Amino acid sequence: MKQFLKTSLSFLDYLHPQTKNLLLTAGTEVQYETGKQLYEEGMTAETMFLIIRGQVKLSKLTADGKLFTLFLKQDGELIGEGTLLEDDVATLTAEAVTNTIVRKIPVNEIRQLFITHPDFSRHLMSWYAIQTQSSQAKFRDLMMSGKQGALYSTLIRLANSYGKETDRGIIIRTPLTHQDLATYSGSTRENINRMMSDLKDSGILTMVSGQIMIYDLEKLKQFMQCWSCPIEICTM
């Protein structure tokens, strides 16, 4: 059965057109090649980044040296947590997944927008709250639902952020390897291989030219007991 897919809005989508244009011209435009870091965990946070085109993953190194990716951000998203606090440091590492163009905006310019455009400050605070809720929800899925639930949660979030509805199902419009899924769900590639194979055998999903096609998103949601979670906190 064809499913209706709700997709999330970006940070820019919530702004008044005038404020949106100001943000699009703030700072300087910088391009990062695939694999290049925008900033690293532990660095002094002095800048925010508005993604104009591309993808950026936000990751954290665990105590045992494993990489855990919390977010995969795309066009219109704002990243660079902590910049509005004095002498704060980045808690995540940002890396370009594709060739990416951003607006690199000093914190002083962001603070000036707070003063001159109250709607911007209101939306930015709401955005911070959403990011916090999203992070908490992801950790809840990891801790309460086991490895299987962590993978299912990741697939649902990818569908909400990058999914496109087709006659066959929902295709996630970004290439993903099993290793990628492992870092997104806090698992190992071996566990992901097994669970993805089970999902394929059950007819829930398959891989199409390196992209995941989900035939039955509802089955994943039923396992996760996704009743009425806001789309904004169930994204990558």
Side-chain angles (χ1 to χ4, degrees):
M1 178 183 296
K2 191 174 182 180
Q3 303 176 64
F4 174 72
L5 178 67
K6 296 188 297 182
T7 54
S8 58
L9 298 175
S10 73
F11 176 75
L12 279 185
D13 292 328
Y14 289 98
L15 296 180
H16 185 278
Q18 182 183 10
T19 309
K20 178 179 177 179
N21 289 334
L22 284 172
L23 200 60
L24 286 169
T25 56
T28 56
E29 185 173 287
V30 181
Q31 182 168 349
Y32 292 88
E33 296 180 353
T34 302
K36 294 295 184 181
Q37 289 185 355
L38 285 70
Y39 56 86
E40 188 175 8
E41 182 179 354
M43 290 178 56
T44 301
E46 300 174 338
T47 310
M48 296 192 84
F49 299 81
L50 177 67
I51 303 174
I52 304 300
R53 185 169 66 251
Q55 291 180 347
V56 176
K57 65 179 180 180
L58 303 178
S59 306
K60 189 172 186 64
L61 204 60
T62 63
D64 57 357
K66 294 180 180 178
L67 191 67
F68 175 43
T69 301
L70 280 166
F71 300 103
L72 179 62
K73 297 301 184 181
Q74 56 184 322
D75 303 3
E77 293 291 349
L78 193 65
I79 61 174
E81 79 289 355
T83 55
L84 298 178
L85 302 176
E86 296 292 344
D87 301 322
D88 204 359
V89 297
T91 58
L92 302 171
T93 294
E95 179 184 320
V97 177
T98 64
N99 289 338
T100 299
I101 297 174
V102 303
R103 298 295 302 186
K104 188 175 181 180
I105 310 173
V107 65
N108 288 338
E109 289 192 41
I110 296 291
R111 288 173 179 161
Q112 186 61 33
L113 284 175
F114 260 58
I115 298 171
T116 57
H117 292 78
D119 68 308
F120 173 73
S121 60
R122 183 173 63 254
H123 287 301
L124 185 57
M125 290 300 97
S126 295
W127 173 78
Y128 266 118
I130 289 169
Q131 300 306 299
T132 300
Q133 286 182 293
S134 182
S135 297
Q136 290 173 343
K138 288 179 183 180
F139 284 120
R140 176 202 65 203
D141 292 343
L142 284 173
M143 296 177 65
M144 305 298 292
S145 304
K147 299 298 183 183
Q148 188 176 4
L151 173 60
Y152 289 9
S153 170
T154 298
L155 292 170
I156 294 168
R157 291 170 184 278
L158 285 166
N160 288 340
S161 296
Y162 295 94
K164 179 181 179 181
E165 194 174 9
T166 72
D167 290 335
R168 297 181 60 198
I170 298 166
I171 190 163
I172 297 176
R173 297 169 295 174
T174 186
L176 293 161
T177 65
H178 284 191
Q179 184 59 54
D180 291 330
L181 293 174
T183 60
Y184 292 141
S185 57
S187 187
T188 64
R189 185 169 56 83
E190 292 74 19
N191 284 335
I192 296 297
N193 290 345
R194 175 181 53 78
M195 290 186 288
M196 288 292 286
S197 179
D198 290 342
L199 290 172
K200 291 176 187 177
D201 292 342
S202 300
I204 293 175
L205 57 70
T206 190
M207 298 288 287
V208 179
S209 301
Q211 295 179 320
I212 297 173
M213 173 72 80
I214 301 177
Y215 299 124
D216 196 344
L217 187 65
E218 196 60 31
K219 282 287 181 63
L220 302 179
K221 290 184 175 182
Q222 287 173 1
F223 180 91
M224 296 303 300
Q225 298 184 0
C226 295
W227 309 130
S228 58
C229 294
I231 188 73
E232 292 81 9
I233 67 169
C234 192
T235 64
M236 289 301 292

